[in-house]
Amino acid sequence: MSMELDVFVGNTTIMDMEVYQLWLDGLTVSDAVKVRMDEGALLECEANPEVLTSDTMDQFRTFQMCERLLHSPTKLGSQLLYQIPAQNQIILIERYYEFDSVFAREVLGKKLSKGTKKDLDDTSCKTGITLKSCRRQFDNFKRVFKVVEELKGPLVENIQRHFLLSDTLARDYAAIVFFANSRFETGKRKLQYLSFQDFAFCAGQLISYWTIGAMGAPTVPDSMMEDMDVDLEKEFLNELKDLKVLVNDKDMMDQHKILVCAALRGKIKVYKLMEVNFKNLSRALINLASKLTHTKDVRDLFIDLVEKFIEPCRYDRWTVAEITLFLTHYTNAAHCLGTFRHQMIWDRYMGVIKSCILQMYHE
Amino acid sequence: MPGKLKAKIVAGRHLPVMDRASDLTDAFVEVKFGNTTFKTDVFPKSLNPQWNSEWFKFEVDDEDLQDEPLQITVLDHDTYSANDAIGKVYIDIDPLLSCEAATVISGWLPIYDTIHGIRGEINVLVKVDLFNDLNRFRQSSCGVKFFCTTSIPRCYRVALVHGFVEELVVNEDPEYQWIDRIRTPRASNEARQRLISLMSGELQRKIGLKVLEMGGNAVVGYLQCFDLEGESGLVVRAIGTACTLDKLSPGTAPNTTTHTNTHTLPNTAPTSNACNSPSKDSKESPLAHGCRSTHNSPVHSTCSSQRLSHSQNFSVSVPTLVFTGMGSGGSVGKEAGPLKTLLRQHTQSALEQREFPIFTLTCFPPGFLVHVGGVVSTRSVKLLDRIHNPDEPETRDAWWEEIRQEIKSHAKALGCHAVVGYSESTSICEEVCILSASGTAAMLNPRFMREGCLDTGGSDHRLSRQPHPGMVGSERGEGEVSSTWLGFEDASPPSCGFVHIPYDEFNMPFPAQLTYCYHCRRQKVPDVLFTTIDLPAEAEVTGKGCLIQARLCRTKKKAQGEVNATSISNLLPFMEYELHTQLMNKLKLRSMNALFGLRIQISVGENMLLGLASATGVYLSALPAPGGIQIAGKTPSDLSYDQHISTMQKRIDDTIAKNKELYNIHPPKLFTLDPEAFTGLNTECIEEVVGSPIPDRQRSSRLFRSTSESSDELSELDLSHGKKDAFVLEIDDTDAVEDIQSLLTDAPIPAGFYSCNTEVMPGIHNWTSGLQMFTSVRVYRLSNANLTNQGLNKIFTDLCENLLKSLYFKLRSMIPCCLCHLNFTVAVPEEELIQVAVTAVAMSFDKETQQAADKALTRGSGENEEQLQFSMEMCGESTISNNQPTAKPSGVPESAMVHSSRAPSVDYGSFADRCSTWLELLRLKAHTIRRGSVKTSRRTQLLAHSVSSSERCSPLPEGRSRSLRSTRSLPCGAPVTVVKMTPLSFLPGTRIVKYLGIINMFFIRETTSLREEGGVSGFLHSFIAEVFAMVRAHVAALGGNALVSYSMKECVFMENPNKNQAQCLINVSGDAVIFIRESDQEAIPPLLTSRQTSSTGADGTT
């Protein structure tokens, strides 16, 4: 005797969110049944393994049938096929688009292409996330990327409008889209210690301060037309070249050093080393700025930050607090340089660099 | 030219991509009615076209308006090749033809294709301008209202019940026409859908005409069925109860007193009619049971009644068994006592004029039902042959006529003049067809059936579902006036009257154990009662009820033609007997004494017969307590055997005890004590009653009076009860072994669940608005071809039990809840396949408030009338709990008794906590199974928290979305109207303000890519979901927000996995309604409510 057919259809679609998570995690029905049994599902309602299997199969099928709608979440609200309470719709969508940060970290900065998708089994092995789940997450990235790529207006809002995601999740997606678009280098061994959250934070900073949309879009209404959040502002990057004066003009550099040293004397333990290294550190940051006109160097932004600034500091055993103090005074001191005229650009640059470094400065 | 139909095509959305090159569609729409077709312009390159067409106008006869559906076809324009059809929408415009129903159809309707399923949606507007046609010879019956609901619809009151209407139309099945060999499956399916739509339209129109002829204006309990007879044709048949309904304007309280007086006068008039009514005998004469052709055997041969006699105890309530085919019907009335004869003649007069005193109603206004005799049923096996002339479906008509005649004669044999809760069904396998009909023999109050006599009590009942205190008074008043011939009516309070035997006790139609009614103690009652109706509102029940099922599987040799038919008809009586035995055993095992909503389905397959009987068991306070079950062995010599028996006995006794706890059945034990003790106790008891919470004081005094009057008869009563305990099952009997097995294998219901197949669960009243209608279908393949009957039975029982278990598990988040109206349908679609389909509604109830309400009501004892009005649901509960203290020995302090009567067998203490933390828990669990990776979902957690705070219970119950929508709306245009669906005739906590018309839809779905669609389960799952979606959309387009009395009448599934093909046919029906929440209603002033009701209703969804 065998069950040939077994369906359950409710007028309101019944969705067990625990099972949904198992489905999202890419488990097979039998694995999901095992997990549910381990969690004590059998204790409920005098269930037996048969009942549990039937329920799991049915739920999985339901989710599979809804998956099509989840690909364009706005449809979920207007479709007639499944009567799903609004609050459940929100949870369904949110869960579907949630991702494992370990996975996101792997894909970050890679081109969201078929080639990358083919390599997902490696990613799956490495992260321990099922291939099915990897594919879903990858497809989500790609889908969001494709939709948002063509749209005008603020990135996070676009993602929220089209995918009905919560603010936090939309920001994470914005980071992923931003990274995929600019193809930042994140895969180098030296960058391995950085988590997705670190990068997402940095992306947020870059989006907020270095893109066209960042500096109050109304001033440039025409630029609304194009990826205002996805690309860094060209003009700004060009202007960054002007900062070179801080290292090229010897007087200015000395002056800068004196000001910083005066402010930090007695306040940081690594003062001596700072004094010795000041020019190197300053040069590293300024050179980084001046190079950003080249796409390749933009891609290397993070590796450069690590190699040129973070590693030397780490070698000298700076604490986070010391770095904070240093960067604060380093930034502020430039304002006191009488001959330095690029205050606006400087602040815009250093604000982001400072928060990125602070976020990235850990083991 | 009495009608103008207007249609406007507004827009489309979510259309499928028809042009692969552009990923877009060039859609246009054809609107067809009858032979007229209009087209919209092509809206190029869009998946969301905006046609905004002109009004397409069809000038048609109202006859066509009733028959034809409006057919909307969405196509993709193709310059070079033929236009591709995207899909179709059939719109039944019948609801627009009655002025009291919907006025416009407007909304998004799914575009359906029989091969691809739903493909986008279309927004349409449909209106009808109807010119009144006063032609007496008209063929149309516009304006007759149809209701699937088997009770008087909630916002109407019944003025008159005219009686049975039936109609049947036949046609050739397009699937079997020669042309089907050359046309596409799509064309064939569409031809079939269209034909059935036409046929049901025609059927409805013809029934409407009959109703008009009878002087009625509505059909209640409309039941339409399809018989897919294959080669021999397609039959669409319908039955219903013609009524004259008056619309209740909300807020008008019916004036009971004035009307009550008017009843009494007309009551006397027909007595004379009855005396000189010649119809009675002449009507009976054509009834000859055995004179049919060979293959339509009477269901029960004399042999089956012979078999029964060896254990008479349980044959009592199985009148059908003993009776069917005995033909002793007519004699009973003549020999009955003079009082009853009088009453019978009196009431019969109203009914006898009709050919069939049959009613499809299952729920009645109070006072309608006088007595209930028992279940009557008839089955007949027929051989199908081709319908030669579709215009004269005489053969099929004659078949059903025979069946109905037989039902009528059975009822007569039970001393009853009417049949209520009547339904008909068929089971077809190849050329063999089993026609079945069943109902409950009953005596009815004639005043509902006479012209010009308006009932008023009924309206109260519909509003409150509880006998109005005024009603009792009116009955009494009536009784006094006409006490000469209605004398005993006065003595039987309405709450127990219906269980009193309608037949004569000295000339019983079958061996029964009669006792005096445990409630009024004046009339005789049987020890067990089986009925097909719902539990009457006035009935007093001890404890809770539960679903009781008897399942049976019998193998049969494969055969052809008459041989096959004969072997089936030979098997039928045995099956029915065994089903009854099982039902009786299970009933006793649960300490209950009555079955309601009994439905016995027998399905025929090529090599087996399936029998499934479902009913809701209850303990009627007015009937005696059932005895236990005793097992006896035939060979007592063997020691181990004895031991085996005693362990079995112990298990059974334990189960009975457990069930008593579970269903809260603590029947009054004192009736089994000796009469001395009883009378002694009783007087004490009465004293307490006076000060105790009895809603109806009259009842208590009556109880007092009746006991004192009948005290000398008590000894006799108790004697008979003493014998009754011995319900012996002899274990040597192989049947008995099977019975015991099936008794003990029934898994107990998980804590927090109740189930029944009636409208509501006796003993539960505090429903919340949480409700979930569902359909579940399972198909099992029997791998072993050589199964024995026992093996098959086990498989079948397990199948049903597992299905129930799965349902409980699935719906566990609704606990505490009750599965109501559990409707099982079994079929044998192919050799070695068993299909079981279940449709039911899970309704959650509030345990805590229920108890609180109990307490409140128990305290406020004296003036119960007001409470009756505002919280009728709770009152039922109070009568039940109150009933117990009355009956209990008074030595126990009252508070303790109240407590014990309510002591829940299940602990829900932790439930509330569990609910509130449902989402948190869920989230936690979801996270524990992750691999320690940091989730990005901080926000979701917050979200989950906020949801859990606003939504205390599970996310399942519908309807709450509205409140949530306001807090966080999905930014995607107009939200989809939430449409509730329920097989019940009401929605708890709400009031139906308008009936918008009947929904009766038939869909076919076929696939040639079964595997790609997720196999058979995936295919059927999406099809059922699609059907639900289409029903909801049509209800919403009519302006409704719910479908009540929903039923899935047909779900025929065929597959051919080798060819990767499957086909499924589904027929669903129900009443589209607008409801408002009871709480909302308070906020709306009555004036506004009435205006809303009379207005278009398009925006009644609130």
Side-chain angles (χ1 to χ4, degrees):
Chain A
M1 187 182 90
S2 60
M3 185 106 74
E4 186 100 353
L5 182 156
D6 177 15
V7 296
F8 176 101
V9 190
N11 182 36
T12 305
T13 308
I14 293 189
M15 291 175 168
D16 185 327
M17 288 304 156
E18 271 174 59
V19 187
Y20 186 48
Q21 193 59 56
L22 298 176
W23 178 75
L24 289 174
D25 288 342
L27 269 64
T28 61
V29 171
S30 56
D31 286 345
V33 170
K34 257 179 234 149
V35 173
R36 292 183 81 184
M37 283 214 256
D38 293 344
E39 285 177 359
L42 288 186
L43 303 176
E44 284 181 283
C45 271
E46 286 147 48
N48 57 33
E50 218 174 300
V51 166
L52 207 58
T53 311
S54 156
D55 180 60
T56 312
M57 285 234 278
D58 184 70
Q59 290 280 315
F60 271 42
R61 190 168 49 234
T62 308
F63 299 134
Q64 212 173 324
M65 294 198 303
C66 287
E67 192 168 13
R68 187 173 52 85
L69 296 166
L70 288 167
H71 290 169
S72 44
T74 42
K75 265 192 197 165
L76 194 66
S78 63
Q79 55 85 30
L80 303 175
L81 189 52
Y82 304 102
Q83 186 157 279
I84 306 170
Q87 76 274 17
N88 267 21
Q89 290 184 18
I90 295 168
I91 298 174
L92 273 184
I93 296 167
E94 190 78 2
R95 289 273 181 87
Y96 189 78
Y97 282 90
E98 266 171 24
F99 50 86
D100 292 283
S101 45
V102 181
F103 174 80
R105 175 68 187 82
E106 286 297 318
V107 181
L108 209 58
K110 282 184 189 161
K111 201 175 172 188
L112 298 174
S113 63
K114 280 201 177 125
T116 316
K117 197 176 177 183
K118 270 180 195 154
D119 297 337
L120 282 181
D121 36 0
D122 292 342
T123 318
S124 167
C125 284
K126 196 172 162 191
T127 56
I129 299 164
T130 58
L131 183 59
K132 212 181 148 210
S133 177
C134 285
R135 289 212 174 117
R136 172 182 60 84
Q137 298 182 32
F138 182 82
D139 288 342
N140 283 345
F141 294 166
K142 199 172 167 183
R143 192 176 312 113
V144 173
F145 182 81
K146 279 215 157 173
V147 168
V148 183
E149 199 182 28
E150 318 254 302
L151 291 171
K152 309 150 195 172
L155 187 56
V156 178
E157 272 176 46
N158 278 340
I159 293 174
Q160 267 184 299
R161 190 175 323 120
H162 284 267
F163 292 92
L164 309 176
L165 301 178
S166 64
D167 190 54
T168 325
L169 194 53
R171 282 180 194 287
D172 283 342
Y173 268 95
I176 289 162
V177 170
F178 187 73
F179 267 73
N181 186 60
S182 301
R183 308 272 307 284
F184 286 103
E185 176 58 66
T186 61
K188 288 263 168 63
R189 205 181 46 82
K190 279 180 180 165
L191 291 175
Q192 285 306 312
Y193 79 101
L194 291 169
S195 70
F196 171 75
Q197 268 68 29
D198 295 335
F199 281 119
F201 176 83
C202 296
Q205 290 291 312
L206 293 175
I207 294 169
S208 307
Y209 299 105
W210 284 9
T211 56
I212 302 169
M215 300 318 282
T219 54
V220 268
D222 286 349
S223 62
M224 274 292 278
M225 303 309 287
E226 273 159 56
D227 324 322
M228 58 182 246
D229 273 359
V230 185
D231 289 323
L232 297 178
E233 189 183 334
K234 290 262 159 55
E235 213 175 317
F236 166 67
L237 295 180
N238 277 326
E239 284 169 347
L240 281 178
K241 279 188 177 161
D242 300 338
L243 297 180
K244 270 203 162 173
V245 72
L246 281 173
V247 285
N248 290 347
D249 184 331
K250 197 158 182 318
D251 288 349
M252 206 182 269
M253 193 165 174
D254 288 340
Q255 186 71 23
H256 196 187
K257 183 181 172 182
I258 290 164
L259 283 169
V260 173
C261 286
L264 291 176
R265 192 186 306 269
K267 289 192 180 150
I268 54 172
K269 279 185 190 164
V270 286
Y271 180 75
K272 275 267 161 57
L273 292 164
M274 186 276 286
E275 206 174 8
V276 175
N277 276 337
F278 180 84
K279 284 183 181 171
N280 286 337
L281 291 175
S282 181
R283 196 169 287 130
L285 293 178
I286 306 295
N287 283 341
L288 194 61
S290 60
K291 282 198 305 179
L292 285 178
T293 39
H294 306 290
T295 323
K296 163 121 195 4
D297 291 307
V298 172
R299 285 187 192 168
D300 287 341
L301 176 66
F302 296 102
I303 188 77
D304 284 348
L305 275 178
V306 168
E307 284 179 345
K308 306 271 167 58
F309 191 89
I310 292 174
E311 282 190 337
C313 290
R314 198 184 280 150
Y315 186 80
D316 292 342
R317 296 173 189 278
W318 290 51
T319 62
V320 179
E322 286 163 345
I323 295 216
T324 316
L325 265 178
F326 171 76
L327 288 173
T328 312
H329 290 290
Y330 178 73
T331 313
N332 293 343
H335 293 281
C336 306
L337 298 173
T339 46
F340 185 62
R341 291 199 194 125
H342 311 285
Q343 314 284 7
M344 285 278 283
I345 301 295
W346 174 248
D347 279 349
R348 190 173 171 189
Y349 175 69
M350 278 312 291
V352 171
I353 289 293
K354 182 185 156 193
S355 29
C356 286
I357 289 175
L358 291 178
Q359 176 74 29
M360 292 160 71
Y361 192 76
H362 61 82
E363 288 307 308
Chain B
M1 197 65 64
K4 194 187 271 177
L5 171 68
K6 299 189 291 183
K8 184 184 170 102
I9 308 298
V10 184
R13 68 179 181 192
H14 307 332
L15 293 189
V17 171
M18 297 301 281
D19 181 5
R20 284 274 151 233
S22 65
D23 268 2
L24 290 166
T25 298
D26 305 319
F28 71 101
V29 181
E30 271 181 18
V31 188
K32 189 178 172 194
F33 189 83
N35 294 320
T36 319
T37 307
F38 292 102
K39 277 184 195 173
T40 67
D41 297 331
V42 176
F43 194 91
K45 305 214 179 306
S46 172
L47 299 183
N48 301 292
Q50 303 285 323
W51 292 289
N52 235 330
S53 78
E54 56 185 305
W55 283 99
F56 299 123
K57 294 181 182 119
F58 303 88
E59 298 190 331
V60 278
D61 282 341
D62 49 358
E63 190 183 331
D64 289 337
L65 281 174
Q66 285 194 296
D67 288 4
E68 296 257 358
L70 179 68
Q71 185 179 316
I72 293 169
T73 314
V74 185
L75 298 112
D76 177 50
H77 176 75
D78 204 324
T79 323
Y80 306 107
S81 59
N83 298 327
D84 294 324
I86 295 173
K88 283 192 164 150
V89 183
Y90 292 99
I91 300 177
D92 179 14
I93 41 178
D94 214 54
L96 298 181
L97 303 180
S98 163
C99 51
E100 277 170 42
T103 51
V104 65
I105 294 173
S106 162
W108 289 102
L109 299 172
I111 303 164
Y112 181 73
D113 178 68
T114 59
I115 305 293
H116 293 105
I118 290 180
R119 304 174 96 189
E121 290 127 32
I122 188 167
N123 196 329
V124 294
L125 261 168
V126 183
K127 284 183 180 176
V128 173
D129 288 338
L130 207 60
F131 317 122
N132 248 335
D133 182 14
L134 298 172
N135 181 0
R136 282 182 56 219
F137 305 103
R138 62 180 180 168
Q139 284 301 300
S140 73
S141 55
C142 293
V144 174
K145 297 178 282 285
F146 284 81
F147 302 93
C148 294
T149 303
T150 55
S151 55
I152 301 304
R154 306 263 155 177
C155 47
Y156 290 92
R157 65 193 198 110
V158 61
L160 219 55
V161 183
H162 299 280
F164 191 65
V165 279
E166 48 78 32
E167 189 57 75
L168 176 153
V169 292
V170 297
N171 211 315
E172 262 187 283
D173 192 338
E175 186 102 337
Y176 294 88
Q177 282 163 351
W178 66 268
I179 195 166
D180 206 57
R181 289 180 205 163
I182 53 166
R183 66 179 162 192
T184 61
R186 176 182 283 118
S188 162
N189 292 338
E190 279 170 4
R192 233 171 155 192
Q193 284 191 167
R194 203 183 117 74
L195 177 71
I196 288 185
S197 183
L198 265 171
M199 285 169 78
S200 31
E202 184 191 342
L203 195 69
Q204 223 169 304
R205 174 173 59 82
K206 285 186 170 169
I207 287 213
L209 277 172
K210 287 192 179 179
V211 172
L212 290 176
E213 232 166 74
M214 292 165 107
N217 65 1
V219 182
V220 181
Y222 185 67
L223 175 76
Q224 187 189 308
C225 294
F226 299 96
D227 297 330
L228 301 167
E229 294 184 352
E231 289 280 341
S232 57
L234 186 66
V235 177
V236 187
R237 59 194 160 77
I239 54 175
T241 305
C243 294
T244 302
L245 297 184
D246 292 342
K247 191 150 176 59
L248 279 178
S249 48
T252 39
N255 191 340
T256 354
T257 44
T258 48
H259 283 274
T260 318
N261 294 336
T262 57
H263 298 314
T264 51
L265 294 173
N267 262 344
T268 46
T271 330
S272 54
N273 275 0
C275 295
N276 52 33
S277 155
S279 60
K280 193 181 165 199
D281 285 354
S282 60
K283 275 271 152 62
E284 274 168 11
S285 51
L287 287 184
H289 294 270
C291 70
R292 282 190 253 124
S293 57
T294 45
H295 38 264
N296 61 57
S297 82
V299 180
H300 303 289
S301 56
T302 36
C303 125
S304 71
S305 52
Q306 214 75 50
R307 270 172 62 90
L308 278 173
S309 58
H310 74 94
S311 49
Q312 18 169 266
N313 273 323
F314 58 89
S315 66
V316 174
S317 65
V318 197
T320 41
L321 267 180
V322 194
F323 266 147
T324 344
M326 274 171 51
S328 64
S331 63
V332 180
K334 286 167 199 154
E335 287 153 52
L339 270 184
K340 287 186 183 177
T341 321
L342 261 171
L343 175 79
R344 189 164 299 113
Q345 282 175 356
H346 162 71
T347 45
Q348 259 171 356
S349 66
L351 288 162
E352 276 298 317
Q353 285 136 18
R354 281 158 225 187
E355 195 175 7
F356 299 113
I358 292 175
F359 301 87
T360 53
L361 301 177
T362 60
C363 205
F364 313 92
F368 185 82
L369 205 60
V370 181
H371 300 307
V372 167
V375 172
V376 286
S377 83
T378 299
R379 283 178 216 286
S380 158
V381 184
K382 300 284 185 190
L383 273 181
L384 299 172
D385 50 354
R386 190 170 271 281
I387 300 168
H388 296 291
N389 184 1
D391 293 330
E392 288 177 21
E394 273 152 356
T395 344
R396 304 298 186 277
D397 261 341
W399 288 354
W400 287 111
E401 187 146 328
E402 263 171 23
I403 297 249
R404 290 171 195 138
Q405 288 291 1
E406 199 164 322
I407 285 281
K408 183 185 172 188
S409 74
H410 293 335
K412 218 163 248 168
L414 282 176
C416 294
H417 54 69
V419 174
V420 292
Y422 179 75
S423 66
E424 295 175 347
S425 63
T426 57
S427 170
I428 298 169
C429 177
E430 303 287 313
E431 73 229 302
V432 175
C433 174
I434 303 181
L435 310 183
S436 312
S438 72
T440 304
M443 300 265 268
L444 302 180
N445 192 326
R447 71 159 188 259
F448 287 91
M449 274 151 271
R450 225 160 301 117
E451 308 280 338
C453 166
L454 297 180
D455 155 65
T456 47
S459 55
D460 273 20
H461 159 70
R462 279 186 307 280
L463 286 175
S464 63
R465 271 183 283 131
Q466 186 69 27
H468 194 281
M471 194 57 211
V472 180
S474 79
E475 289 255 321
R476 283 172 59 79
E478 184 184 63
E480 276 155 32
V481 171
S482 51
S483 56
T484 41
W485 48 274
L486 272 175
F488 71 89
E489 181 96 281
D490 172 38
S492 53
S495 73
C496 67
F498 78 97
V499 296
H500 298 164
I501 51 164
Y503 36 85
D504 188 70
E505 61 179 295
F506 302 111
N507 184 26
M508 285 200 298
F510 48 86
Q513 296 245 328
L514 299 182
T515 49
Y516 276 95
C517 172
Y518 275 51
H519 191 271
C520 67
R521 315 204 52 80
R522 301 197 72 180
Q523 293 297 311
K524 291 282 175 80
V525 293
D527 58 349
V528 186
L529 185 69
F530 282 17
T531 71
T532 58
I533 56 170
D534 269 324
L535 188 69
E538 65 264 30
E540 281 187 28
V541 174
T542 303
K544 299 210 161 58
C546 77
L547 178 79
I548 292 180
Q549 277 195 326
R551 301 133 185 161
L552 193 67
C553 216
R554 281 287 171 266
T555 53
K556 168 185 89 68
K557 282 210 181 74
K558 268 198 220 175
Q560 294 292 313
E562 290 206 13
V563 184
N564 194 16
T566 316
S567 72
I568 291 171
S569 49
N570 286 341
L571 270 171
L572 283 179
F574 294 98
M575 290 192 68
E576 212 141 347
Y577 165 74
E578 280 178 47
L579 285 172
H580 276 290
T581 315
Q582 266 190 43
L583 280 178
M584 189 64 89
N585 288 345
K586 289 188 178 180
L587 189 67
K588 297 222 181 257
L589 198 69
R590 284 168 181 80
S591 277
M592 293 174 181
N593 56 18
L595 286 183
F596 287 89
L598 176 65
R599 189 168 164 265
I600 302 177
Q601 200 199 348
I602 291 188
S603 276
V604 58
E606 266 183 63
N607 57 353
M608 67 174 125
L609 283 167
L610 286 181
L612 182 69
S614 310
T616 301
V618 293
Y619 185 103
L620 281 181
S621 310
L623 296 190
I629 300 172
Q630 223 165 38
I631 298 182
K634 267 186 184 162
T635 46
S637 52
D638 194 347
L639 196 72
S640 66
Y641 186 69
D642 277 356
Q643 226 163 14
H644 175 64
I645 286 180
S646 67
T647 47
M648 284 266 242
Q649 180 70 52
K650 196 172 174 316
R651 273 177 72 191
I652 286 181
D653 292 346
D654 287 351
T655 319
I656 292 181
K658 226 186 284 164
N659 280 332
K660 274 192 183 173
E661 264 324 296
L662 182 62
Y663 301 116
N664 211 359
I665 296 173
H666 303 290
K669 290 232 165 58
L670 77 173
F671 288 135
T672 57
L673 300 176
D674 68 325
E676 301 277 338
F678 169 65
T679 35
L681 283 171
N682 197 42
T683 38
E684 277 178 59
C685 182
I686 298 303
E687 274 167 22
E688 195 192 289
V689 158
V690 176
S692 83
I694 292 286
D696 178 8
R697 273 161 190 255
Q698 283 163 333
R699 190 183 303 151
S700 65
S701 61
R702 194 176 291 143
L703 177 68
F704 183 74
R705 183 155 40 92
S706 64
T707 38
S708 58
E709 277 166 13
S710 60
S711 59
D712 50 327
E713 286 165 339
L714 277 173
S715 54
E716 178 198 306
L717 172 123
D718 290 327
L719 268 178
S720 66
H721 190 267
K723 283 188 292 190
K724 216 174 64 63
D725 217 31
F727 180 74
V728 184
L729 274 177
E730 287 198 348
I731 202 154
D732 270 0
D733 195 346
T734 42
D735 284 351
V737 172
E738 216 175 283
D739 288 341
I740 291 166
Q741 222 166 27
S742 64
L743 273 182
L744 296 171
T745 47
D746 270 12
I749 296 184
F753 273 108
Y754 291 96
S755 60
C756 62
N757 76 334
T758 47
E759 284 253 309
V760 278
M761 176 71 162
I764 300 177
H765 303 275
N766 225 305
W767 303 109
T768 65
S769 60
L771 119 163
Q772 166 73 288
M773 189 281 294
F774 59 86
T775 290
S776 185
V777 182
R778 284 189 177 184
V779 175
Y780 277 77
R781 182 173 290 281
L782 307 167
S783 46
N784 190 349
N786 304 318
L787 275 167
T788 57
N789 278 340
Q790 263 99 338
L792 268 175
N793 266 349
K794 172 110 179 49
I795 288 170
F796 185 40
T797 305
D798 287 350
L799 202 163
C800 295
E801 284 291 325
N802 275 328
L803 185 49
L804 279 170
K805 261 188 211 163
S806 282
L807 297 181
Y808 296 137
F809 184 75
K810 233 333 144 222
L811 299 160
R812 65 195 182 284
S813 60
M814 291 185 77
I815 287 178
C817 95
C818 178
L819 303 190
C820 293
H821 215 284
L822 263 168
N823 186 8
F824 276 67
T825 320
V826 291
V828 192
E830 268 174 55
E831 214 179 315
E832 288 168 19
L833 285 188
I834 298 180
Q835 178 188 320
V836 181
V838 185
T839 297
V841 61
M843 302 206 290
S844 57
F845 57 91
D846 207 332
K847 193 74 187 173
E848 276 161 44
T849 34
Q850 185 177 358
Q851 282 180 350
D854 277 4
K855 263 173 214 153
L857 278 162
T858 322
R859 253 182 266 120
S861 54
E863 57 278 60
N864 229 312
E865 280 184 39
E866 279 164 284
Q867 279 165 349
L868 269 172
Q869 264 152 13
F870 86 83
S871 60
M872 54 283 177
E873 309 220 321
M874 295 165 190
C875 283
E877 176 71 19
S878 84
T879 27
I880 284 153
S881 58
N882 286 341
N883 191 27
Q884 281 160 343
T886 336
K888 286 224 168 158
S890 62
V892 192
E894 193 204 316
S895 60
M897 287 191 296
V898 171
H899 176 76
S900 72
S901 74
R902 211 183 297 121
S905 50
V906 193
D907 179 31
Y908 296 106
S910 61
F911 174 68
D913 298 352
R914 199 147 66 83
C915 272
S916 64
T917 55
W918 185 84
L919 273 160
E920 279 102 311
L921 248 175
L922 178 152
R923 181 177 47 79
L924 278 175
K925 282 197 178 174
H927 277 254
T928 46
I929 56 155
R930 308 221 114 223
R931 295 148 302 271
S933 62
V934 187
K935 292 289 297 174
T936 54
S937 59
R938 279 148 289 165
R939 170 68 194 199
T940 330
Q941 292 166 16
L942 281 173
L943 196 80
H945 275 291
S946 68
V947 168
S948 73
S949 57
S950 68
E951 174 85 6
R952 275 202 38 141
C953 205
S954 81
L956 293 180
E958 319 153 78
R960 285 182 176 124
S961 45
R962 201 169 299 136
S963 62
L964 233 123
R965 198 168 280 148
S966 59
T967 56
R968 181 182 169 167
S969 60
L970 291 173
C972 50
V976 178
T977 318
V978 173
V979 176
K980 297 199 173 201
M981 284 165 75
T982 174
L984 308 181
S985 62
F986 67 97
L987 290 143
T990 65
R991 205 166 65 88
I992 294 172
V993 292
K994 189 168 185 177
Y995 282 80
L996 299 164
I998 202 167
I999 294 273
N1000 187 0
M1001 297 170 106
F1002 177 84
F1003 296 105
I1004 303 178
R1005 181 85 152 78
E1006 189 166 343
T1007 184
T1008 48
S1009 51
L1010 189 58
R1011 271 187 297 278
E1012 294 76 2
E1013 291 196 37
V1016 284
S1017 296
F1019 171 71
L1020 192 62
H1021 192 145
S1022 51
F1023 183 37
I1024 295 175
E1026 281 167 351
V1027 169
F1028 285 2
M1030 286 185 276
V1031 169
R1032 283 193 303 261
H1034 281 260
V1035 171
L1038 285 170
N1041 55 4
L1043 186 81
V1044 297
S1045 297
Y1046 163 82
S1047 74
M1048 182 177 282
K1049 288 192 211 107
E1050 205 81 60
C1051 179
V1052 186
F1053 179 75
M1054 288 157 288
E1055 55 164 332
N1056 190 342
N1058 297 331
K1059 282 189 180 168
N1060 207 16
Q1061 286 175 340
Q1063 192 192 35
C1064 187
L1065 294 84
I1066 287 183
N1067 174 222
V1068 290
S1069 64
D1071 296 326
V1073 299
I1074 303 175
F1075 72 83
I1076 53 170
R1077 299 218 165 277
E1078 217 107 78
S1079 48
D1080 294 353
Q1081 188 194 342
E1082 283 160 26
I1084 303 167
L1087 248 176
L1088 210 142
T1089 323
S1090 64
R1091 199 182 309 138
Q1092 192 181 22
T1093 329
S1094 56
S1095 76
T1096 61
D1099 52 8
T1101 49
T1102 53

